[in-house]
Amino acid sequence: MTESTNFEQRIVDHFLDSARLKQSAAALLAPDIARAGQLMTECLLADGKILACGNGGSAADAQHFAAELVGRFERERPELRALALTTDTSILTAVGNDYAFDAVFEKQVRAFGVRGDVLLVLSTSGNSGNVIRAIVAAQEREMRIVALTGKGGGAIGEMLSAEDVHLCVPHTRTARIQEVHLLILHCLCDAIDVRLLGEEG
């Protein structure tokens, strides 16, 4: 087998592994994804907002989700109130320098979050310290939490209430978990659009 063929098979294996995980995750997570979509829609209809945070690839996903709501997903609709807590470099570096990196999301939740808002958190391990502190701040403000995790859910899975929604991808590999997280975010965008605009004709 040539080196080129080896790499081609690795690529095929990535696709197949991702597809298998998405099929198993769909059966497991669909009811809770629907519940998260309803929770977010009710928040937005009540003039609330969604704050989103995560680290690394999860930060990019938080920004992606906020962009879909403020702009559009697949259909034209009014702008929706969503804010990624990962984008203001002055806040991130000031808080990180003056306090600690673990406080960069917590401080913003305390500044912008109010009762009735939703905090969307993404952590493939479920153990990100700055995300955990953001959840604590949100709980103090009586915000609801939608948590996207993997690897069993970690500490985040243990700190959520029955009113929150935990979407834990059943896998241990970060890349696979992130792939499903992105699909979940698109499902949430679609759920919000359908509830606001109705089914497409």
Side-chain angles (χ1 to χ4, degrees), residues 109 119 133-145:
V109 170
L119 177 66
R133 286 178 59 166
I135 291 172
V136 172
Q139 290 171 332
E140 290 172 357
R141 278 161 171 65
E142 299 183 56
M143 297 167 61
R144 299 279 69 82
I145 316 297

Side-chain angles (χ1 to χ4, degrees), residues 86-128:
T86 55
T87 57
D88 191 320
T89 55
S90 293
I91 291 176
L92 295 173
T93 54
V95 173
N97 183 65
D98 295 347
Y99 298 91
F101 185 69
D102 273 0
V104 294
F105 301 141
E106 170 194 10
K107 288 281 189 183
Q108 294 183 79
V109 170
R110 295 188 190 284
F112 304 126
V114 298
R115 180 179 182 181
D117 287 347
V118 170
L119 177 66
L120 169 67
V121 302
L122 300 102
S123 172
T124 57
S125 69
N127 293 315
S128 304

Side-chain angles (χ1 to χ4, degrees), residues 5-24:
T5 304
N6 281 333
F7 276 110
E8 288 176 10
Q9 186 58 51
R10 286 182 67 87
I11 291 165
V12 170
D13 289 344
H14 278 296
F15 273 83
L16 294 177
D17 188 40
S18 183
R20 284 190 293 266
L21 175 58
K22 287 171 181 172
Q23 286 184 319
S24 63

Side-chain angles (χ1 to χ4, degrees), residues 34-175:
R35 189 162 70 90
Q38 180 177 355
L39 179 68
M40 289 179 165
T41 307
E42 290 171 354
C43 164
L44 294 166
L45 287 172
D47 203 28
K49 59 188 173 296
I50 300 172
L51 307 180
C53 65
N55 297 291
S58 295
D61 286 341
Q63 292 164 211
H64 182 146
F65 182 75
E68 302 282 25
L69 294 193
V70 173
R72 67 177 177 193
F73 178 52
E74 293 183 323
R75 291 188 282 168
E76 293 295 338
R77 51 147 169 73
E79 298 80 4
L80 301 174
R81 301 178 71 197
L83 178 66
L85 305 182
T86 55
T87 57
D88 191 320
T89 55
S90 293
I91 291 176
L92 295 173
T93 54
V95 173
N97 183 65
D98 295 347
Y99 298 91
F101 185 69
D102 273 0
V104 294
F105 301 141
E106 170 194 10
K107 288 281 189 183
Q108 294 183 79
V109 170
R110 295 188 190 284
F112 304 126
V114 298
R115 180 179 182 181
D117 287 347
V118 170
L119 177 66
L120 169 67
V121 302
L122 300 102
S123 172
T124 57
S125 69
N127 293 315
S128 304
N130 53 9
V131 173
I132 288 170
R133 286 178 59 166
I135 291 172
V136 172
Q139 290 171 332
E140 290 172 357
R141 278 161 171 65
E142 299 183 56
M143 297 167 61
R144 299 279 69 82
I145 316 297
V146 174
L148 277 60
T149 69
K151 304 180 183 181
I156 289 173
E158 299 295 322
M159 62 191 300
L160 301 176
S161 76
E163 295 181 325
D164 301 321
V165 183
H166 185 200
L167 301 169
C168 182
V169 178
H171 210 279
T172 58
R173 190 171 180 179
T174 297

